[in-house]
Amino acid sequence: MLHRLCVGLIGEGVQVTRIVPDSIEFDSVDEGEQRVALAARIEAPMRVLPWMRHARANAIAETLGRKLPDVLYAVGERAWSLGADLATTLNRPCLIDVCSIVQAKAVPRPRGTSFPAGYLAPSQTIAKVLADRVDPGMVSMVPMGVPLPPEPRTILADTDRAAALAIIGSGRDLRAYEALLDGLARVVQQTRPVQVFIELRGPHDHEIWRHAQKLELLAFISAIEQASLYRSLLTRCDLLLMPERWGELRSLLLEAMALGVPVIASQDHTLDLLVDGQSAFLVPKTDPADWTQRILQVLSHPESARAIGLNARQAVATSHRSSDHVAKLIETLEKTISGGALRFTQPSK
């Protein structure tokens, strides 16, 4: 998503300087780096000891030299403290990107006149949660966007092969994963074989793996650490599963929907894009039987599942295009710089 934003911003004449974690493995960013090579890149530690924060900000300011930004845009919780420090050091406004309900409840509140200058939310529901916590005038809705492929995929087209299922999530809600795996074990017993790709990147990844082992599911499961590194694989699956209720909007979810891949997710009223029976299949309770029923429904009725996938694709086309994401972000940045709807102290030049 960030690489697409950089390309879009540069295409609109915006000068972009990226400050990225110095701990990112090169293999994780190589493809994207080639696409945004024109954007200056500064590596910096996202986490430092408290007494090192001032020195970190000064080092980045020295690297920037006279090419100081008009506005800072902090994406990800690890970038929030760095954004605050640079806002103070450079006397520039900083916007905070919020992509989940968990983040919305943990955002730093305004202190002084420089940080944060405003908050960006990717959905209406997250924007409402933010507006209950901070001044609503500081919240802007900037819908996350993805490219719309020319054609959707045809899922479950080959009945002779195992159905491919992708499970993504933070791995923080162990009970949610256990319910899904319990339901999946019943599916394996009742229908054709499945091949499962499961993202294990959170605090309970070992417990989740052990639960799958107890259910004798390991023969059907391949584990991946970061789903974002395998997006081309996961978006070729027949079904995307989301067991947790954290209100997190991910670009991978939108990319799968844009390709017409049906989504089964725990019912999460904070993800307003997922509407049961229209753009997704929702599981109302953390119950294995509900997961079994929903998965079997998709596998047994591929035509209906494809129709839901096409509805999801249309929802992305209507509200979550990359071009609209870039345009709305530029509009918000310009308001911040000019002292528009988002309130802050105009930086001195």
Side-chain angles (χ1 to χ4, degrees):
M1 181 197 72
L2 290 175
H3 291 316
R4 285 194 294 263
L5 276 181
C6 281
V7 172
L9 291 170
I10 293 171
E12 293 297 323
V14 178
Q15 185 174 343
V16 178
T17 298
R18 297 163 297 149
I19 302 174
V20 302
D22 60 1
S23 59
I24 290 182
E25 296 180 5
F26 185 75
D27 290 343
S28 302
V29 296
D30 183 41
E31 180 184 354
E33 291 295 286
Q34 294 174 14
R35 293 199 299 269
V36 290
L38 294 178
R41 184 175 189 268
I42 298 173
E43 293 188 358
M46 293 294 116
R47 289 180 174 174
V48 296
L49 295 171
W51 54 86
M52 293 295 295
R53 289 176 57 174
H54 183 67
R56 177 184 61 178
N58 284 340
I60 294 174
E62 184 176 344
T63 302
L64 288 169
R66 294 186 178 182
K67 296 181 179 179
L68 297 182
D70 294 310
V71 61
L72 302 162
Y73 176 41
V75 182
E77 292 177 58
R78 293 185 180 184
W80 290 352
S81 65
L82 177 54
D85 297 338
L86 284 175
T88 300
T89 300
L90 302 177
N91 191 26
R92 293 295 189 268
C94 179
L95 296 172
I96 296 292
D97 184 88
V98 181
C99 68
S100 72
I101 295 299
V102 174
Q103 285 189 352
K105 294 179 179 179
V107 291
R109 295 175 186 270
R111 56 181 171 83
T113 58
S114 60
F115 179 81
Y119 308 85
L120 275 59
S123 71
Q124 193 63 49
T125 308
I126 293 176
K128 289 179 180 177
V129 173
L130 275 171
D132 289 337
R133 179 175 170 82
V134 302
D135 182 349
M138 299 181 70
V139 179
S140 287
M141 238 279 279
V142 181
M144 185 184 294
V146 296
L148 191 72
E151 297 293 334
R153 288 190 50 252
T154 302
I155 58 115
L156 300 171
D158 186 356
T159 56
D160 293 329
R161 69 165 177 84
L165 280 57
I167 302 174
I168 63 172
S170 66
R172 288 179 290 175
D173 189 341
L174 178 59
R175 184 166 171 263
Y177 275 86
E178 288 177 342
L180 168 55
L181 292 174
D182 288 343
L184 190 59
R186 300 175 188 178
V187 169
V188 169
Q189 295 170 0
Q190 298 179 40
T191 188
R192 69 185 190 183
V194 297
Q195 177 61 51
V196 180
F197 302 95
I198 184 169
E199 180 181 29
L200 294 178
R201 61 179 172 92
H204 297 298
D205 53 356
H206 294 297
E207 292 94 329
I208 295 169
W209 184 257
R210 282 198 295 268
H211 192 70
Q213 184 178 39
K214 184 177 99 173
L215 296 171
E216 299 182 353
L217 286 174
L218 296 189
F220 307 98
I221 290 180
S222 298
I224 55 178
E225 186 176 0
Q226 289 283 349
S228 59
L229 301 182
Y230 301 91
R231 55 201 330 119
S232 60
L233 167 68
L234 300 182
T235 53
R236 285 200 295 268
C237 288
D238 296 300
L239 185 59
L240 184 71
L241 309 177
M242 296 174 55
E244 296 177 303
R245 292 178 169 87
W246 295 115
E248 181 180 16
L249 185 59
R250 298 177 64 173
S251 59
L252 179 59
L253 167 65
L254 295 177
E255 288 170 11
M257 294 175 69
L259 281 165
V261 177
V263 175
I264 301 181
S266 290
Q267 189 160 13
D268 187 339
H269 297 293
T270 58
L271 286 178
D272 37 28
L273 181 66
L274 303 181
V275 180
D276 190 28
Q278 297 183 33
S279 59
F281 299 97
L282 300 184
V283 178
K285 298 181 293 184
T286 307
D287 188 307
D290 287 347
W291 279 105
T292 300
Q293 187 270 330
R294 282 302 199 187
I295 296 172
L296 287 176
Q297 179 183 358
V298 172
L299 298 182
S300 303
H301 302 89
E303 289 298 331
S304 298
R306 289 173 198 142
I308 293 293
L310 291 178
N311 288 344
R313 174 180 164 87
Q314 184 56 49
V316 172
T318 302
S319 305
H320 292 276
R321 283 181 177 269
S322 285
S323 55
D324 295 333
H325 190 175
V326 171
K328 187 63 178 177
L329 178 59
I330 290 176
E331 177 186 331
T332 304
L333 295 175
E334 288 178 342
K335 284 182 179 179
T336 306
I337 294 168
S338 64
L342 300 178
R343 300 174 218 160
F344 71 103
T345 301
Q346 178 71 26
S348 58
K349 299 295 184 183

